[in-house]
Amino acid sequence: MMKAYALGLYEKAMPGDLSWRERLLAAKEAGYDYVELSIDDSEEKIGRLDMPKEDRLALVRTMYETGIPIRTMCVSALTKYSMGNDKPEYEKRGMEILEKSIRFADDLGVRVVMIPGYDVYYEPSTLETKRRYLKNLRAGAEMAEKAGVILGLETMENEFMNTVEKAMKYVTLCGSNYLKIYPDLGNMTNAAVQYQTDVLEDMELGRGNITSLHLKETLPGRYREVPYGEGHVDFKAAIAKAWEMGIRRYVTEFWYKGSENWKEDLHFAHDMMAGILDQQIEK
């Protein structure tokens, strides 16, 4: 019988020198259902998108052999190579990365390709960068439609798209069945503190358009590497709301920082979130 939900593990929660078999087995051992692959702006990770077909097939075989698939992909390389970038070479490379990511996802069986909600990150946001972003987002949605792969906009930490409400603007403007929202609960919580708004109300604005939820801990003004239980994110309330909205896919997002006890960290994160999710089934 199929589980009532799927809980995934962000790849970067594990040491970077592991083989894919080791990564998938570590996730399985900790109780996870799938792994989220990362395409960051390092040339090593971007190079994955040029993986030969025989290597792609070998990776799919490894998923089947271990029993743990890769089902989501975070393309944070589109932070540096942003789709609204004023530099034509950066914009062009960003679109190439997006197209290759969709093809890669199609080959691996990845369901959702998460893309950061930035028109630009390292440069000032202007009317022109916003227009360029929308144009390229529409083009990306068309690519996703052909492949049958969903693009999920991630709520980020800057003003451009740090809430579900802001992401919904672009979902509406694109009008594609294959462009949805993949919110980051930690970033949304920080935005709610900044704007004095309600995280749960913000989630409600995305009803029917949220693919899954990133479960990340944060503190006001601090967006990364806050250990679970030491931040201000109300995971119980947010997961209860997400469950009521029909969201059944979740990913724990945290980072490996050299700890010898990293496998214990995987177990801790899994057990904490699975415990909250299991309570939703029992209601």
Side-chain angles (χ1 to χ4, degrees):
M1 186 176 176
M2 186 178 287
K3 278 179 64 177
Y5 64 87
L7 182 58
L9 174 65
Y10 185 47
E11 173 194 346
K12 288 192 173 183
M14 297 176 278
D17 59 355
L18 298 182
S19 68
W20 270 113
R21 182 174 295 275
E22 289 169 331
R23 287 189 188 103
L24 298 179
L25 287 174
K28 182 177 185 177
E29 182 186 326
Y32 285 96
D33 302 301
Y34 66 98
V35 167
E36 181 164 280
L37 182 146
S38 168
I39 303 293
D40 62 26
D41 63 9
S42 67
E43 292 305 318
E44 176 200 353
K45 292 291 198 328
I46 294 172
R48 286 175 168 176
L49 302 177
D50 294 315
M51 184 185 291
K53 281 190 176 281
E54 54 269 26
D55 292 349
R56 297 181 190 213
L57 180 57
L59 181 50
V60 171
R61 282 203 191 100
T62 301
M63 293 185 218
Y64 276 88
E65 289 165 3
T66 58
I68 295 290
I70 298 166
R71 283 295 175 257
T72 51
M73 185 162 74
C74 175
V75 189
S76 54
L78 296 179
T79 301
K80 179 177 180 180
Y81 300 105
S82 51
M83 294 191 293
N85 208 293
D86 285 324
K87 298 175 184 173
E89 65 273 23
Y90 276 55
E91 177 196 4
K92 181 182 178 184
R93 188 160 197 218
M95 292 308 291
E96 288 172 352
I97 288 169
L98 180 56
E99 183 174 6
K100 287 181 178 181
S101 295
I102 292 168
R103 288 180 186 166
F104 192 56
D106 189 18
D107 284 349
L108 295 190
V110 167
R111 308 300 197 248
V112 179
V113 174
M114 173 196 273
I115 58 176
Y118 296 126
D119 56 340
V120 287
Y121 182 72
Y122 296 106
E123 302 81 20
S125 180
T126 65
L127 179 58
E128 281 309 306
T129 62
K130 291 171 184 173
R131 283 175 173 164
R132 195 176 296 116
Y133 176 79
L134 177 58
K135 170 182 70 82
N136 286 325
L137 188 61
R138 283 173 169 153
E142 288 182 9
M143 297 175 201
E145 289 162 2
K146 292 171 191 171
V149 172
I150 293 172
L151 295 182
L153 292 170
E154 184 179 12
T155 53
M156 306 308 291
E157 71 270 22
N158 68 5
E159 291 287 330
F160 181 72
M161 196 183 293
N162 53 1
T163 66
V164 169
E165 180 179 12
K166 291 178 180 179
M168 275 302 301
K169 169 185 172 180
Y170 286 90
V171 169
T172 302
L173 288 172
C174 288
S176 171
N177 289 326
Y178 285 83
L179 178 66
K180 301 297 180 183
I181 306 169
Y182 186 165
D184 182 307
L185 182 57
N187 295 346
M188 290 165 59
T189 301
N190 278 4
V193 170
Q194 180 182 345
Y195 301 138
Q196 289 298 290
T197 54
D198 188 326
V199 170
L200 305 187
E201 285 183 6
D202 188 41
M203 289 175 64
E204 178 64 35
L205 294 173
R207 184 177 286 271
N209 288 286
I210 295 178
T211 66
S212 27
L213 193 61
H214 250 194
L215 302 172
K216 186 181 77 179
E217 186 70 277
T218 55
L219 285 165
R222 187 175 166 192
Y223 292 84
R224 289 169 61 100
E225 298 168 13
V226 178
Y228 286 119
E230 296 182 21
H232 67 149
V233 177
D234 189 341
F235 292 105
K236 288 185 178 180
I239 288 173
K241 176 64 176 175
W243 192 272
E244 182 272 322
M245 291 171 63
I247 298 164
R248 296 293 182 270
R249 298 180 71 81
Y250 303 82
V251 166
T252 57
E253 185 185 18
F254 59 105
W255 287 263
Y256 167 74
K257 298 302 293 179
S259 169
E260 293 181 1
N261 302 319
W262 63 269
K263 286 190 175 182
E264 293 175 21
D265 295 338
L266 302 192
H267 280 275
F268 176 82
H270 171 273
D271 294 350
M272 176 182 176
M273 298 307 172
I276 299 172
L277 286 159
D278 289 341
Q279 290 172 12
Q280 310 312 310
I281 303 171
E282 295 163 5
K283 286 182 180 177

